Amino acid sequence: MFELNTYVERRRMLAEQVGEGILFFPGNIQSSMSYKDNHYPFRQDSSFLYFFGIDLPGLDATIDAATGETILYGEEPTEDDLVWTGPVTPLTEMAERVGIKKVRPCVQLHRDLAGLKQKHNRIHWLPPYRPETFLKIQELLQVEANVVTLLSSEAFIKAVVRLRSTKSEEEVREIESGVDFTVDMLLLAMKNGAAGIRECELASAMHSSVIAKNSQLAFPTILTVHGEILHNHYSNATVKPGQLILSDCGAESLMHYAGDMTRTFPADKTFNNQQKEIYQIVLNSFRHASGLLSPGILFRDVHLAACEQLVTGLKELGIFKGDTKDAVAAGAHTLLFPCGLGHMLGLDTHDMENLGEKYVGYTEELVQSKEFGLKSLRLGRALEEGFVLTVEPGLYFNPFLMDLWESQKKHVDFINYGALKKYRDFGGVRVEEDFYITAQGARKLGKHLPMEISEIEEYRR
Ligand SMILES: [Mn+2]
């Protein structure tokens, strides 16, 4: 938990920005796996954590935007709780640590909200993402299920996005701790990854380091010899000689700020020539894009510059042809790079994605494209000092897409399908790092993780 004033100040700014009405925050509850008391690991709602800091299930809160009055709703531990889970800090004491004086039992929430509605107070809520939160809003506020998201408050969303987008120094320290944990995961992957090991064994080594820090994963680990499939999780497949291993993983800091990084390395001690060539193109694109990061630049333009770098390299290998800028403008590169260059990072891996990409990554003037490729770019807007984001270019040789496009003769002016045949079983390469936007440029977060071809080969020796 941060210091009391952090939370008081965040709530004060939020109330000031929304100005009127009641801001309703349903916290997350335990989520059952196979029967009621068999839970998934608990994860508090990120906006709840941001404004209230209390990492416990079963809490709700309201802020009166006009007066700033904050009420926390929850139960003190019962005798049974103390028998089954042992002593816990009283809720009133937790509330005091984050500057909340009013704590009421959960049953009171229903009456309080009904009373506020009667007095024609507008009640604001954020778009929910868990079914039980949909139900709670539906029941407590008498909203039809099919309009719970539609009637969520744009003023509330915008204010939360504004506040959470700019990271304070103490938040950057937390993210950096999540990134350092993530570096440790990938060092273990690079140390243990070799022909003969199964993907799941490698993942277990990575996960053990996260558990040993009493941390948890920020998202399910991607670890695969099929890097061409964007979100391939680990399986019991055995790594074979000559394959590439790609891992995109993230651990949370102890306060639930996420790290998110990717490395790709050979199962052999060294990259073969073909792997070297493709890896170097991705690395050049990464270096170029991360060098452009600074306040004011549109991240969409950084993305397009990264795409141009990829095409430049692919042209040298004879896979692409024609004018680089024209190829990118036409979207020819999306055959091998069908996704976005990066996204905001914070309490969530895709920070605030539940609040809507159109608010987090775009503006009223700059609207998210619907085209293949750009539609997956979660962040397009101009960067600001204090943003934290990922940069993650890649090249993905997906046989399905290559066959489909060739049969459609798609972008034959730019793509040399004959030369592409040699890469049919190549797999995929991605590198990813996390950056903090400073007044002048950007700072790479976390400790160093081998990235250059020679560094990776040396580390694995
Ligand atoms: Mn990422």
Side-chain angles (χ1 to χ4, degrees):
M1 209 178 262
F2 293 122
E3 286 198 347
L4 179 148
N5 274 335
T6 295
Y7 299 101
V8 171
E9 188 58 17
R10 285 173 178 178
R11 294 195 298 268
R12 188 193 64 73
M13 287 192 285
L14 177 67
E16 188 181 288
Q17 288 187 19
V18 182
E20 55 78 38
I22 304 298
L23 310 176
F24 175 44
F25 287 90
N28 280 344
I29 61 172
Q30 292 281 20
S31 199
S32 299
M33 212 183 309
S34 57
Y35 51 89
K36 187 180 163 292
D37 288 338
N38 191 18
H39 302 139
Y40 287 105
F42 174 69
R43 179 56 160 77
Q44 181 59 287
D45 173 72
S46 295
S47 288
F48 194 95
L49 267 183
Y50 184 84
F51 292 102
F52 305 97
I54 306 177
D55 191 9
L56 292 173
L59 302 176
D60 298 297
T62 58
I63 300 172
D64 185 327
T67 65
E69 184 188 54
T70 301
I71 305 171
L72 182 71
Y73 296 87
E75 306 298 342
E76 290 297 349
T78 63
E79 227 170 76
D80 266 359
D81 290 336
L82 294 170
V83 171
W84 290 97
T85 54
V88 287
T89 313
L91 190 57
T92 45
E93 199 181 313
M94 298 293 286
E96 271 170 34
R97 288 187 200 168
V98 292
I100 300 172
K101 293 178 194 79
K102 286 194 178 169
V103 180
R104 291 181 184 167
C106 293
V107 288
Q108 191 65 34
L109 175 63
H110 189 267
R111 284 176 228 146
D112 285 357
L113 288 175
L116 288 161
K117 273 190 80 167
Q118 257 180 1
K119 283 192 258 170
H120 302 292
N121 261 300
R122 163 137 194 227
I123 297 170
H124 302 261
W125 65 88
L126 300 170
Y129 53 92
R130 285 195 181 187
E132 59 268 22
T133 316
F134 271 92
L135 284 173
K136 183 177 260 179
I137 292 168
Q138 197 187 334
E139 283 169 23
L140 283 174
L141 302 174
Q142 303 294 304
V143 185
E144 296 280 347
N146 58 340
V147 289
V148 166
T149 298
L150 195 70
L151 295 182
S152 61
S153 163
E154 195 173 40
F156 191 7
I157 294 170
K158 284 183 169 171
V160 172
V161 169
R162 214 174 292 130
L163 289 167
R164 282 181 56 190
S165 292
T166 307
K167 271 68 178 179
S168 65
E169 274 177 37
E170 56 187 0
E171 286 186 285
V172 175
R173 277 198 294 276
E174 279 298 314
I175 298 173
E176 201 145 31
S177 149
V179 175
D180 284 345
F181 290 179
T182 307
V183 168
D184 291 344
M185 290 175 80
L186 286 167
L187 284 173
L188 281 164
M190 283 200 259
K191 189 175 152 200
N192 297 301
I197 198 170
R198 288 177 299 147
E199 289 175 0
C200 51
E201 290 177 287
L202 204 44
S204 84
M206 296 161 74
H207 293 181
S208 73
S209 83
V210 180
I211 297 167
K213 291 172 175 112
N214 201 25
S215 169
Q216 58 193 48
L217 297 178
F219 58 93
T221 298
I222 293 171
L223 180 119
T224 179
V225 292
H226 285 289
E228 74 279 11
I229 311 294
L230 294 174
H231 282 180
N232 227 2
H233 299 114
Y234 55 87
S235 70
N236 67 353
T238 301
V239 176
K240 297 192 196 86
Q243 285 185 317
L244 282 173
I245 302 170
L246 181 153
S247 181
D248 183 343
C249 62
E252 290 189 343
S253 75
L254 297 183
M255 286 176 60
H256 302 292
Y257 283 83
D260 178 9
M261 299 174 81
T262 308
R263 283 296 185 274
T264 310
F265 55 93
D268 304 335
K269 290 280 178 224
T270 55
F271 289 85
N272 65 33
N273 280 340
Q274 193 183 45
Q275 290 167 343
K276 262 186 196 165
E277 285 171 348
I278 297 296
Y279 188 92
Q280 195 59 48
I281 294 173
V282 174
L283 197 56
N284 291 347
S285 171
F286 170 84
R287 296 263 180 246
H288 182 72
S290 50
L292 293 173
L293 298 176
S294 63
I297 193 164
L298 291 182
F299 194 71
R300 189 191 58 185
D301 291 345
V302 181
H303 166 85
L304 292 171
C307 296
E308 285 173 13
Q309 281 294 312
L310 294 174
V311 170
T312 302
L314 292 165
K315 273 166 62 179
E316 282 165 21
L317 294 183
I319 300 173
F320 268 59
K321 57 190 175 181
D323 183 76
T324 303
K325 279 194 190 306
D326 290 349
V328 170
H333 64 285
T334 62
L335 173 62
L336 303 179
F337 185 50
C339 51
L341 182 70
H343 50 84
M344 298 277 248
L345 180 72
L347 280 163
D348 308 306
T349 304
H350 294 165
D351 207 23
M352 300 173 279
E353 192 163 289
N354 60 311
L355 301 180
E357 282 174 6
K358 72 171 188 170
Y359 301 109
V360 179
Y362 291 84
T363 61
E364 268 155 43
E365 294 76 39
L366 186 77
V367 178
Q368 192 164 13
S369 167
K370 291 188 172 64
E371 279 171 52
F372 186 68
L374 276 177
K375 72 172 180 189
S376 305
L377 180 63
R378 298 185 160 90
L379 175 62
R381 64 187 281 196
L383 301 181
E384 294 177 21
E385 185 181 354
F387 283 10
V388 172
L389 49 90
T390 69
V391 174
E392 45 183 314
L395 284 172
Y396 311 102
F397 294 84
N398 184 326
F400 158 75
L401 204 57
M402 295 189 322
D403 289 347
L404 181 71
W405 279 34
E406 189 177 6
S407 72
Q408 295 169 338
K409 298 196 168 46
K410 212 165 167 179
H411 297 305
V412 286
D413 293 346
F414 300 115
I415 301 165
N416 185 352
Y417 286 101
L420 203 52
K421 297 257 187 289
K422 275 190 292 179
Y423 297 85
R424 199 175 166 78
D425 301 316
F426 181 88
V429 170
R430 167 160 76 254
V431 294
E432 178 180 21
E433 291 275 346
D434 306 325
F435 291 88
Y436 169 65
I437 305 300
T438 61
Q440 264 79 40
R443 180 165 76 80
K444 190 166 82 66
L445 295 177
K447 49 188 189 185
H448 181 72
L449 178 67
M451 189 178 224
E452 296 289 337
I453 290 171
S454 57
E455 274 186 304
I456 290 177
E457 290 182 344
E458 193 179 328
Y459 181 77
R460 286 174 52 70
R461 264 202 296 273

